[in-house]
Amino acid sequence: MAAPLHVSFLGDDRGEWRVVRQEAVVGEDLAPVARVAIEEGAEPQTRRNGAEAWILRGVTGHQRYVERREAEALRAVQAGLGRAEATCAALIPIRKSSAWWELAQDERRAIFEERSQHIAATLRYLPAIARRLHHARELGEPFDFITWFELAPVDVPRFDELVGLLRATEEWRYVEREVDLRLMREQ
Ligand code: HEM
C-alpha cells in the first residue's frame, strides 16, 4: 500500500470547498466556517493560512478490519478522489468512546462487520461515492477519524441514505462525537 499521507482539513474562509451544511450529529459542534481547504503531504503540515477557525489532522494508514475477500470486492468497485463530476463532498470527523477502544480487535471487528455490516451494506454505494479514511487518534487529535467522501450532486440522496443506515448500526452506539459537514467544490 501507498506510504502514509498526512492530510489537514482547514476550516477557513478561502478554501476550495464551500460549506453548504454543517450539523453536530452527536457531541460538540465545530466552529462554523464558510470554507474548507485540504493540505496533503508526506509529513504533518505546519503551514497555516492564519484565517482558519480549526484544523483537523489525520493520516492514511493500513486497513484494520478488512479481510482479503472484502479488500478484493472493494478494489473491484471503488473510485478515486478528484473525479471532475464529483463536485460534492462530505467531511465527517468521528470520535468513538473509550468503551470501543477497550474492546479487543476481534470484538471490534465483530461489531464493525459481522453485526453492523459496515462493508457489506455500503459496498453497493460504490463507485458513486469515493472515500478516504484518515486516522487521527494516534496523532492526539480531538477526533479518532476524519472521513472524507466525494460524489456527484445527483448522488447526494443516496449518500444521505447510506449515512442514515450506518448511524442506526451497533457500531454507531460507540460514536460519541460526530460532525457532518457537506461541501461543494469551488475554485
Ligand atoms: C461509501 C461507502 C463506505 C464504504 C465502502 C466504507 C468502507 C469502510 C471500510 C472498508 C472501513 C475499514 C477500514 C479498515 O479496515 O481499517 C471503514 C472504516 C470506517 N468508516 Fe466507512 N465506509 C463507507 C462509508 C462510511 C461513512 C458514510 C462513514 C461516516 C458517516 C464512515 C465512517 C467510517 C469510520 C469512522 C471508519 C473507521 C472505523 C474504525 O476503525 O473504528 N464510512 N469504512
Side-chain angles (χ1 to χ4, degrees):
M1 79 157 270
L5 181 70
H6 286 267
V7 184
S8 294
F9 297 88
L10 294 82
D12 64 13
D13 56 8
R14 46 183 136 148
E16 179 189 0
W17 293 91
R18 183 169 60 84
V19 178
V20 292
R21 210 186 85 198
Q22 176 172 339
E23 182 196 355
V25 181
V26 51
E28 195 192 333
D29 205 350
L30 284 166
V33 291
R35 288 171 177 273
V36 171
I38 304 175
E39 290 183 9
E40 300 179 346
E43 305 284 328
Q45 286 78 37
T46 49
R47 193 164 75 79
R48 308 265 194 288
N49 70 18
E52 65 274 347
W54 40 257
I55 306 178
L56 303 175
R57 292 183 188 81
V59 63
T60 61
H62 70 277
Q63 299 193 314
R64 271 67 167 173
Y65 301 108
V66 178
E67 296 184 347
R68 168 63 55 194
R69 68 198 152 79
E70 293 160 349
E72 281 162 10
L74 284 162
R75 237 190 328 267
V77 285
Q78 67 198 3
L81 300 183
R83 292 168 299 170
E85 71 276 17
T87 54
C88 293
L91 170 62
I92 309 183
I94 286 175
R95 188 174 71 223
K96 286 182 168 175
S97 64
S98 52
W100 172 262
W101 294 108
E102 281 159 16
L103 295 170
Q105 179 70 16
D106 59 338
E107 294 172 307
R108 288 197 295 264
R109 159 75 200 188
I111 295 167
F112 175 85
E113 189 57 24
E114 275 67 45
R115 307 219 286 274
S116 301
Q117 305 209 302
H118 189 122
I119 304 171
T122 61
L123 254 178
R124 66 175 191 273
Y125 294 89
L126 271 48
I129 296 157
R131 66 188 179 93
R132 192 163 68 194
L133 175 64
H134 312 85
H135 290 265
R137 181 177 175 81
E138 294 82 347
L139 305 179
E141 288 285 298
F143 293 94
D144 294 334
F145 308 97
I146 320 288
T147 66
W148 175 257
F149 306 91
E150 291 180 4
L151 54 150
V154 66
D155 293 312
V156 169
R158 291 207 78 218
F159 184 73
D160 287 334
E161 176 189 295
L162 156 65
V163 168
L165 197 133
L166 282 172
R167 287 184 184 141
T169 61
E170 182 178 344
E171 183 194 353
W172 246 255
R173 290 190 215 152
Y174 295 89
V175 172
E176 63 176 22
R177 190 175 179 199
E178 178 177 5
V179 183
D180 188 336
L181 289 113
R182 301 300 176 89
L183 311 103
M184 284 194 72
R185 188 164 54 209
E186 274 178 11
Q187 294 301 341

